[in-house]
Amino acid sequence: MSWTPEKIELLTSLWNQGWTTARIGEELGVGKNAVVGKAHRLGLPKRPSPIQRRAEEAEQKKAPAPKQQSKGISIFDLGAGMCRWPFGDPGDDDFHFCGKKIVPSKPYCEEHCAQAYLNGKNPREDNPPAQQGQGGKGPQAANKK
């Protein structure tokens, strides 16, 4: 394939317009690798890989900025790592969730963990099973006597 001045001019024009290498190749009657090689030899500006570009676009679509209601986050914008403490009645228009950053392994932020759990722990952690039953020696045994 010989690169005539007309083909080089067309390649440069289409490249600068943002056409894909495959489309440019179809227009010129060459393969996309020939287009890439010639663009490189001509010193045309590099473009980001379409694969990387799609990955970046997907990341942007995955993590949209949560839409803040007048107070808190709607159920539709509640994502991983966001406090699930509810405010209001689920039937009301202003029902929302806290949305602050959660405490690891908990569904709530620090403030709401303090309200939900005794001493900031899970209720099961505050009353271990060994203290509850104790084989008849606990409070239940005292009530039976």
Side-chain angles (χ1 to χ4, degrees):
M1 142 72 308
S2 65
W3 286 95
T4 64
E6 294 81 25
K7 284 188 176 185
I8 293 172
E9 185 179 333
L10 183 57
L11 165 68
T12 304
S13 173
L14 298 176
W15 184 271
N16 290 333
Q17 290 175 31
W19 284 36
T20 65
T21 55
R23 279 189 64 203
I24 295 170
E26 288 172 10
E27 188 70 25
L28 297 173
V30 298
K32 69 178 189 174
N33 288 336
V35 171
V36 172
K38 189 62 175 178
H40 176 71
R41 289 188 297 279
L42 291 171
L44 296 178
K46 292 183 180 182
R47 293 195 239 164
S49 164
I51 296 169
Q52 292 172 346
R53 196 173 356 172
R54 285 186 203 119
E56 290 170 5
E57 290 170 2
E59 284 298 318
Q60 291 171 353
K61 288 179 184 176
K62 279 185 196 175
K67 296 175 186 172
Q68 290 275 350
Q69 291 181 330
S70 58
K71 301 174 186 173
I73 303 289
S74 78
I75 185 110
F76 302 109
D77 297 317
L78 193 62
M82 298 174 86
C83 180
R84 284 160 164 58
W85 189 266
F87 289 96
D89 185 89
D92 293 343
D93 289 337
D94 64 345
F95 178 71
H96 60 277
F97 295 89
C98 171
K100 292 180 185 172
K101 184 177 179 186
I102 63 168
V103 172
S105 78
K106 305 274 192 247
Y108 307 122
C109 64
E110 278 191 49
E111 176 186 349
H112 293 121
C113 275
Q115 292 177 8
Y117 305 116
L118 303 172
N119 300 325
K121 299 178 185 175
N122 282 324
R124 290 184 214 119
E125 293 173 357
D126 289 328
N127 297 315
Q131 294 177 354
Q132 291 176 356
Q134 295 187 2
K137 298 179 184 175
Q140 293 92 0
N143 292 338
K144 292 182 181 178
K145 291 184 183 177

